[in-house]
Amino acid sequence: MTQACLVCQQTYEPEPGFYYGAMYINSGFSTALLLAIAFLLYYLADDPPLWVYIGAVAGAVLVLTPWLFRYSRALMLYGFGGARFDPRYALR
Ligand SMILES: [Zn+2]
């Protein structure tokens, strides 16, 4: 990861250890994913055996980890790092 954005020079790490908080955001995402999959399996698949729940959640977390990780860091940067949207740098 670079120190700052190559386009707008936004600092990606405002202080050392800044992204430890992103772990908690990622944990929230994972919990929400777990609950959503559990409810879907329970009601749509008529309460399958436990290994189906574990396999579905583990598979979804493995597949979605790259996105969850990046969104957690981005939310941390927006929420606590002072990053703000600047329309001058919007993609067109
Ligand atoms: Zn930027």
Side-chain angles (χ1 to χ4, degrees):
M1 190 167 167
T2 58
Q3 292 288 322
C5 178
L6 299 175
V7 177
C8 66
Q9 284 73 47
Q10 165 70 47
T11 302
Y12 282 145
E13 188 153 12
E15 60 189 53
F18 176 74
Y19 289 107
Y20 283 126
M23 284 189 313
Y24 297 104
I25 296 173
N26 196 14
S27 175
F29 280 152
S30 297
T31 302
L33 185 66
L34 183 153
L35 290 175
I37 290 172
F39 276 109
L40 285 175
L41 285 175
Y42 186 82
Y43 289 109
L44 297 181
D46 199 23
D47 195 17
L50 180 62
W51 67 267
V52 174
Y53 286 102
I54 295 172
V57 170
V61 166
L62 283 176
V63 168
L64 294 176
T65 288
W67 290 279
L68 297 179
F69 180 72
R70 288 172 191 211
Y71 277 109
S72 299
R73 290 173 69 108
L75 282 176
M76 186 73 190
L77 195 56
Y78 267 87
F80 302 102
R84 294 290 173 262
F85 175 71
D86 188 336
R88 287 178 297 166
Y89 300 111
L91 297 176
R92 295 189 176 137

